[in-house]
């Protein structure tokens, strides 16, 4: 039995089911306007006797209708899913205020490479420790301008000072011995001369006696034997005089040789004493040249040995720049190329004077000699930036160097539309590069605007918006 209901709220409500509990009736109805009514209301029931016989055919139709609705729903869901999958993702947006945009230009492009470095003196003097000693005092600190005779470090070595004193005494002893030898030799020489004078006098007397005897002998007044004795005596004295004169000559040579030998010994001892004195004097370590004291590598009280460097002096007027150039950019650097050195207190023009043949830690050292006067602020070891001009390219397309891509590569760059609101990825072939610009071989035209800031986060998009 079914009950025919009339909804108190609406007249066009088709009843679906009726619940009766606790004396109240609830109408669940489907409105024609498709609004589902779940309101609980009081209705007026009219009892009608109705017997509905359910047949298998009606159940089949209901199942078919349900299956069709399910298939239609599944098809609709599949179509919607496929459509959403085929839709292009929404283009991301870049903020113009944080985006770097470059304009493609045509004209002369200057190729340059840049590197950091320091100012290095071309004339440097290292001062080694002259001898073993103890550092008594450091008189000059680094950074002070010094002269050739300026004492920088004072060393002490008692043993060396004693040796110098002993050498001085040895010189004085040798000089005294040389004077004694000279006096003795002069005395011997005078004795020899005295003997010669005596013999010469005897010879003269014998010669006079011989002459007298010969005259008397001719007169028969002197015996022949006496005449012969006088002749023998004269001959003997003549021989003795000759020998003594030869001995005097040889004695003179001997005297000179002995004096020379003694003087040589004195000179040797003087040289040794001078050497010892110089060694002691060298304990006062001097600069040896004009310049600026750059470094003192010892401390007071330290014991040093001969050889290690104690200080370094540099000539501030002979500075050069040593730049570190990346090994990927060194292939185009040549001697004689123009360079600009920025000391942060002035810009100095120069030229490449030397290129290190070997790389160290991925860089090559390039020396730049200056062609103009250095500013007063230039100092050794001052950090500088250097730019070397490689070449000038005439009538080429170029753009500011992007944050991505290197020379001789093909990259994707976002080119802005005419209104500047969108950017589309474009394949661009890059040519030779410089510090801040890069050559465009193909893919862009003069006047095009491209994004040169980092767009690696947009690699999955071919179009972006710029606001």
């Amino acid at each position: 039995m079914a009950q025919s209901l009339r909804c108190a709220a609406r007249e066009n409500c088709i009843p679906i089911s009726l619940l009766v509990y606790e004396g109240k009736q609830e109408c669940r109805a489907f409105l024609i306007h498709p609004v589902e009514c779940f309101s609980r209301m009081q209705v007026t029931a009219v009892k009608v006797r109705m017997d509905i016989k359910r047949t298998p055919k009606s159940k089949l139709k209901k199942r078919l209708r349900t299956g069709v609705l399910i298939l239609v729903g599944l098809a609709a869901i599949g179509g919607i899913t496929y459509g959403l999958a085929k839709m292009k993702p929404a283009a991301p947006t870049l903020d113009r205020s944080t985006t770097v945009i470059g304009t493609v230009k045509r004209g002369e492009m200057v190729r340059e490479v840049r590197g950091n470095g320091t100012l290095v003196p071309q004339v440097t003097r290292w001062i080694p420790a002259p001898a073993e000693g103890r550092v008594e005092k450091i008189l000059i600190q680094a950074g002070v301008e010094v002269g050739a005779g300026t004492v920088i470090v004072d060393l002490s070595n008692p043993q060396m000072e004693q040796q110098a004193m002993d050498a001085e005494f040895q010189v004085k002893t040798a000089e005294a011995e040389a004077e004694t030898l000279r006096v003795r030799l002069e005395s011997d020489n005078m004795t020899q001369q005295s003997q010669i004078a005596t013999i010469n006098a005897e010879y003269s007397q014998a010669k006079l006696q011989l002459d007298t005897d010969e005259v008397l002998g001719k007169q028969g007044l002197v015996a022949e034997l006496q005449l012969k004795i006088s002749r023998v005596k004269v001959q003997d004295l003549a021989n003795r005089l000759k020998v003594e004169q030869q001995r005097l000559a040889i004695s003179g040579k001997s005297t000179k040789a002995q004096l020379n030998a003694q003087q040589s010994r004195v000179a040797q001892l003087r040289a040794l004493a001078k050497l010892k004195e110089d060694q002691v004097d060298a304990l006062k370590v001097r600069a040896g040249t004009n310049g600026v004291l750059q470094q003192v590598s010892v401390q007071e009280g330290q014991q040093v040995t001969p050889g290690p460097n104690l200080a370094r002096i540099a000539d501030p007027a002979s500075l050069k720049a040593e730049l570190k150039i990346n090994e990927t950019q060194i292939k185009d650097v040549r001697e004689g190329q123009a360079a600009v050195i920025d000391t942060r207190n002035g810009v100095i023009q120069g030229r490449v004077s030397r290129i290190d043949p070997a790389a160290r830690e991925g860089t090559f050292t390039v020396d730049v000699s200056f062609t103009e006067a250095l500013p007063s602020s230039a100092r050794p070891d001052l950090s500088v930036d250097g730019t070397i001009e490689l070449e000038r390219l005439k009538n080429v397309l170029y753009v500011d160097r992007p944050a991505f891509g290197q020379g001789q590569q093909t990259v994707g760059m976002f080119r802005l539309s005419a209104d500047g609101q969108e950017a589309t990825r474009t394949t661009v072939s890059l040519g030779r590069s410089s510090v801040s610009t890069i050559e465009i071989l193909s893919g862009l035209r003069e006047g095009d605007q491209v994004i040169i800031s980092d767009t690696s986060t947009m690699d999955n998009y071919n179009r972006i918006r710029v606001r």
Side-chain angles (χ1 to χ4, degrees), residues 63 86 104 106 153 159 194 199 252-253 292 355 424 436:
R63 292 178 179 176
K86 285 295 184 179
V104 179
R106 178 178 290 278
V153 179
Q159 182 180 1
S194 176
I199 295 173
K253 293 181 180 179
V292 176
I355 302 174
T424 305
S436 58

Side-chain angles (χ1 to χ4, degrees), residues 294-316:
Q294 287 190 296
Q295 179 183 350
V296 178
S297 55
V298 293
Q299 298 178 351
E300 291 184 359
Q302 180 178 343
Q303 192 74 21
V304 297
T305 57
N309 292 320
L310 303 181
R312 184 177 69 176
I313 308 295
D315 184 3

Side-chain angles (χ1 to χ4, degrees), residues 18 21 46 92 148 167 180 224 226 238 264 269 293 374 386 391 434 441:
L18 181 65
Y21 61 96
V46 179
T180 301
E224 184 67 24
Q226 182 65 34
S264 297
L269 291 175
L293 179 61
L374 295 171
E391 60 179 331
S434 182
L441 298 180

Side-chain angles (χ1 to χ4, degrees), residues 3-18 25-32 35-46:
Q3 294 181 348
S4 177
L5 301 177
R6 181 173 58 84
C7 179
R10 299 191 181 267
E11 296 295 334
N12 49 0
C13 185
I14 302 174
I16 296 177
S17 63
L18 181 65
Q25 297 177 345
E26 179 180 355
C27 174
R28 290 185 179 178
F30 180 81
L31 300 179
I32 293 178
V35 176
E36 186 175 2
C37 178
F38 295 100
S39 61
R40 182 178 295 177
M41 61 194 73
Q42 298 293 333
V43 298
T44 303
V46 179

